[in-house]
Amino acid sequence: MRLAPSPFRRFSRRKALGLAAGIPLLAGAKGQESPGEAKKFLDATTEFEVLRVTALSHNAWLPLASDRALTRRGDALLFASDASGAPQLYRHDFKGNKIRQLTEAAALNTNTFTWTAGDRGFCYLDGRKVMQSGAGRDRVLYEWPADWGESPRLAAAEDGTMLAISAYNGTKTKLVLLGKTALPLEERTGDIGTLCVRPKRPGVSYVGGGELRLSRLDGKALVTLRTAPGEVLSAYWTADGASLLYLLRPDADAKRTEIREIVPESGVEALVAKTTQYGHFQRNGDASVFLGASLSVASPHILLLLRSVKRELTICEHRCSDARLTRAVFAANSSRIAFQTDRHGKMTIYAMAVDRLVEETEDNT
């Protein structure tokens, strides 16, 4: 991680006419491309350059952080927006500032969608249907029984071989693995968080009731991992699938959180770094740098934490009503970050190029 300064539009006639007419810039049909809404500014705290990707006139959402919104090279963003009236998925290309509408869903779930392997397509939820889109075609992968409602979470294997999905009916959560067939994994009381498919090894992890749980996909070997005392807030696999990095609120100090790591097979568990009140975190490609969103009311910042020296760098403000809603994410090659905030009322997406702050990481998936 280098601590050098960060790197520092013009309306088309069509866009100017759209603004004058009060027409939502994203309104249109599936496949339609339009000029983007991105606007650059200098952050008030750091004076680093930030890109407001979506306009303040409508809501835009990133998926839950266990899903992948940025392409691996960080050159495009998958997001949901209600600019056309009903929520739909869009692709924003950072080079050229272009937006393309990707779906015409009847009931898009704005929490759960992700790029698939190689960024060749994406998966999303349309009501009770798990959809896959790629090469110009949409297909239904699975449909939940009506009495289980809509699925709030979806996680894709990085090699594209399977999907893990969950549904909560107000009392219980059902977990299902989609590969060649649909394999029920578990039913449990209550909702769950941070659902992840284990990279390069058979397994699905999730956070439930403040605990970290792992299913090894044999339908029986569901275990609760022996984490440090406290409440597990979220957890993500390392790229090689060898260990889980998790955010913990220790019993002894509720105002501070810690990033910790556990190896499921050996049970070896260790502190990675203490944080300044992170409510949310994500790793870069090789887990050498962490992205954090602070819960502090006095310092509502997005931060980078260098693992080797436990040093934090504030890169911008988020000023979200709850840092856990920022859903801040890293591109796999560490070139860009993105997050969302409701600081201006509606949920809006922001991004930053961090390639001058963080060394590029290889994509080994």
Side-chain angles (χ1 to χ4, degrees):
M1 176 178 172
R2 304 190 298 269
L3 300 182
S6 73
F8 284 65
R9 104 191 156 149
R10 181 177 72 194
F11 287 102
S12 68
R13 180 174 181 273
R14 177 183 174 187
K15 186 165 189 177
L17 290 173
L19 285 171
I23 300 172
L25 297 175
L26 299 185
K30 178 180 175 180
Q32 181 173 317
E33 188 173 84
S34 60
E37 305 170 319
K39 182 178 181 180
K40 297 177 181 178
F41 66 96
L42 298 184
D43 180 73
T45 297
T46 64
E47 295 191 348
F48 286 171
E49 185 177 272
V50 181
L51 187 71
R52 193 187 72 209
V53 179
T54 60
L56 303 177
S57 58
H58 49 263
N59 287 299
W61 301 273
L62 295 173
L64 296 167
S66 53
D67 294 330
R68 200 158 54 83
L70 285 164
T71 54
R72 299 195 176 282
R73 294 183 297 173
D75 54 355
L77 178 76
L78 181 67
F79 70 99
S81 173
D82 62 5
S84 64
Q88 299 297 340
L89 288 182
Y90 297 85
R91 173 188 174 119
H92 173 88
D93 287 294
F94 290 98
K95 184 177 181 180
N97 187 26
K98 299 287 186 181
I99 289 178
R100 179 182 294 273
Q101 183 173 329
L102 300 177
T103 61
E104 289 180 333
L108 181 76
N109 186 318
T110 59
N111 291 321
T112 303
F113 47 90
T114 185
W115 292 112
T116 54
D119 304 329
R120 292 184 293 271
F122 56 94
C123 289
Y124 63 100
L125 299 172
D126 187 0
R128 294 185 289 108
K129 297 177 181 178
V130 182
M131 305 293 297
Q132 184 180 51
S133 181
R137 296 190 310 161
D138 289 346
R139 66 188 184 105
V140 179
L141 297 180
Y142 185 72
E143 186 168 356
W144 285 102
D147 59 341
W148 279 91
E150 296 181 13
S151 173
R153 288 182 174 85
L154 176 153
E158 293 182 348
D159 62 3
T161 58
M162 65 183 70
L163 292 170
I165 53 179
S166 68
Y168 179 55
N169 68 357
T171 303
K172 292 184 178 181
T173 293
K174 178 181 289 188
L175 291 172
V176 174
L177 186 72
L178 296 184
K180 293 182 179 180
T181 60
L183 172 66
L185 294 181
E186 183 193 8
E187 286 188 23
R188 58 163 285 128
T189 301
D191 201 359
I192 67 168
T194 323
L195 179 68
C196 294
V197 178
R198 190 174 190 178
K200 302 183 180 180
R201 308 180 190 204
V204 174
S205 66
Y206 67 90
V207 175
E211 297 179 327
L212 187 52
R213 297 170 69 92
L214 171 64
S215 174
R216 302 182 194 278
L217 304 189
D218 58 7
K220 298 179 181 179
L222 181 70
V223 296
T224 299
L225 300 179
R226 293 182 178 273
T227 56
E231 180 188 4
V232 177
L233 303 177
S234 56
Y236 309 102
W237 290 100
T238 53
D240 60 5
S243 62
L244 273 161
L245 294 155
Y246 68 98
L247 187 66
L248 181 80
R249 180 183 291 120
D251 291 332
D253 189 351
K255 291 185 178 181
R256 296 186 67 86
T257 53
E258 301 173 350
I259 298 173
R260 304 186 68 93
E261 187 170 20
I262 186 168
V263 180
E265 280 67 35
S266 67
V268 173
E269 195 276 346
L271 174 69
V272 174
K274 293 185 177 182
T275 81
T276 52
Q277 274 185 272
Y278 286 9
H280 168 83
F281 90 112
Q282 257 288 3
R283 63 167 177 84
N284 71 337
D286 61 3
S288 62
V289 181
F290 298 101
L291 179 66
S294 176
L295 284 165
S296 170
V297 176
S299 304
H301 296 149
I302 299 291
L303 307 102
L304 296 177
L305 190 157
L306 181 60
R307 181 173 187 164
S308 61
V309 295
K310 313 295 191 290
R311 181 180 178 183
E312 287 184 337
L313 172 68
T314 298
I315 58 173
C316 66
E317 297 178 334
H318 65 74
R319 294 197 175 277
C320 192
S321 60
D322 187 336
R324 291 166 292 192
L325 299 178
T326 58
R327 300 181 180 178
V329 290
F330 250 123
N333 69 352
S334 305
S335 63
R336 195 182 304 272
I337 65 109
F339 64 94
Q340 65 181 26
T341 174
D342 56 4
R343 63 186 294 182
H344 295 295
K346 295 183 182 295
M347 197 62 78
T348 309
I349 298 173
Y350 293 77
M352 280 188 69
V354 294
D355 53 339
R356 295 190 183 180
L357 300 173
V358 181
E359 296 285 353
E360 183 177 353
T361 49
E362 294 184 5
D363 183 4
N364 296 318
T365 57

